[in-house]
Amino acid sequence: MGVWTLLLLCTLTFANLPPSRPDPKDEDCLTHLSQSLQDPNHNLKNWTKTTFSNPCQGFTSYLQGATCNNGRIYKLSLSNLSLQGSIPPHLANCTNLQSLDISSNSLSGPIPSDLSNLVNLAVLNLSSNRLAGPIPPQLAMCAYLNVIDLHDNLLTGPIPQQLGLLVRLSVFDVSNNRLEGMIPGTLGNRTGNLVRFNASSYLGNKDLYGYPLREMRSKGGLSVLAIVGIGLGSGLLSLIISFTAVCIWLRVTENKNAAEQEGKISHLMPDY
């Protein structure tokens, strides 16, 4: 009887507990994200100020594309919704976010370096948009990142060497951008138990070079090794031609001298 009484008291206690209070950081994050996005197809109908103030109830989400965990937004999946606009720096206020997928839209502008404040982030998928500018090296601060997918954008500049410090990284794709420079060895030639990324992760960046892609190429399209080879070959050919010319000149001179000498001897010899 005592056990049943205890269970009943526990049930009544938990039933009367107040609902988890929304985090003001999540509200600020969602508000600025909504203001930065255009939704021409009205896919985000319930993205309103009222919902932002209380987007989660425990594990229940009231926002399309959002998943909650203990009253906090921990996953945003807004892929393939024809969204336009840009990624706001205030997205970093969703500090409990573990997965961010805004792929296959028409977003433009830079990737905010403020995303480095998402210290719990494990999945970052911003692929198939129109994002431009450099890849922020600050993303290396997100130590739990397993996935960085940025393919099919307009990103420029080098691949930050700092990203090679992400030891949990198992998916890395920056193909079909406008990146340039040498692929960091910490990404292109990983060792030990770290996942290795093949050439498909880097293809479509004409000014990107280094393993696992081709070697560096000059502006004319020839590799450095090819240029050195051509230079050495040209020098060797010039040396052979010069040496041959000298040999021919010496032979001609020798024959001429021999003929002159023979003429002098013939002139001095008496006739018989």
Side-chain angles (χ1 to χ4, degrees):
M1 188 66 177
V3 175
W4 288 107
T5 303
L6 182 61
L7 288 174
L8 179 61
L9 288 174
C10 289
T11 303
L12 292 174
T13 300
F14 283 112
N16 292 324
L17 284 176
S20 56
R21 300 183 61 183
D23 192 291
K25 289 185 177 181
D26 282 355
E27 180 180 1
D28 182 72
C29 162
L30 295 169
T31 299
H32 283 89
L33 179 59
S34 177
Q35 292 172 350
S36 297
L37 298 177
Q38 288 87 52
D39 180 21
N41 294 341
H42 306 288
N43 290 309
L44 305 178
K45 294 180 180 179
N46 62 344
W47 280 55
T48 63
K49 185 176 181 180
T50 302
T51 314
F52 296 156
S53 63
N54 189 22
C56 297
Q57 182 65 48
F59 293 91
T60 303
S61 168
Y62 301 120
L63 282 176
Q64 179 180 348
T67 305
C68 297
N69 183 10
N70 197 25
R72 295 291 309 277
I73 299 289
Y74 94 100
K75 184 177 182 180
L76 281 175
S77 301
L78 305 174
S79 62
N80 200 26
L81 295 177
S82 301
L83 300 175
Q84 301 172 8
S86 59
I87 301 174
H90 293 81
L91 189 58
N93 286 330
C94 286
T95 53
N96 203 49
L97 201 62
Q98 297 180 33
S99 177
L100 176 61
D101 183 356
I102 323 180
S103 61
S104 301
N105 287 293
S106 298
L107 302 182
S108 57
I111 299 174
S113 59
D114 303 71
L115 295 185
S116 61
N117 293 322
L118 299 174
V119 294
N120 296 308
L121 195 64
V123 176
L124 178 63
N125 188 352
L126 307 177
S127 62
S128 299
N129 280 287
R130 300 174 184 172
L131 299 173
I135 299 174
Q138 293 88 343
L139 289 179
M141 300 294 292
C142 303
Y144 292 103
L145 272 173
N146 288 288
V147 175
I148 296 180
D149 193 349
L150 306 175
H151 75 264
D152 287 285
N153 277 289
L154 304 172
L155 299 173
T156 56
I159 298 175
Q161 294 188 7
Q162 293 89 332
L163 298 185
L165 300 175
L166 296 169
V167 295
R168 297 172 182 261
L169 202 59
S170 58
V171 175
F172 182 73
D173 192 347
V174 293
S175 60
N176 299 317
N177 278 281
R178 299 176 180 177
L179 299 172
E180 59 186 23
M182 186 172 185
I183 298 172
T186 50
L187 282 172
N189 194 18
R190 301 181 109 195
T191 58
N193 295 324
L194 299 179
V195 176
R196 294 170 175 81
F197 310 118
N198 58 33
S200 63
S201 296
Y202 308 99
L203 292 175
N205 297 279
K206 66 176 184 178
D207 293 322
L208 200 62
Y209 63 91
Y211 187 84
L213 295 181
R214 65 197 185 285
E215 68 272 13
M216 182 174 65
R217 293 179 180 270
S218 68
K219 292 182 179 180
L222 294 174
S223 69
V224 172
L225 291 177
I227 292 173
V228 172
I230 291 172
L232 291 174
S234 299
L236 182 60
L237 181 61
S238 298
L239 182 62
I240 293 174
I241 292 173
S242 299
F243 180 76
T244 303
V246 170
C247 290
I248 293 173
W249 179 81
L250 290 174
R251 178 60 61 86
V252 170
T253 303
E254 182 181 355
N255 291 340
K256 183 179 179 181
N257 291 337
E260 290 178 352
Q261 190 67 24
E262 183 179 353
K264 290 181 180 179
I265 294 175
S266 299
H267 180 72
L268 294 174
M269 292 289 291
D271 295 330
Y272 293 98

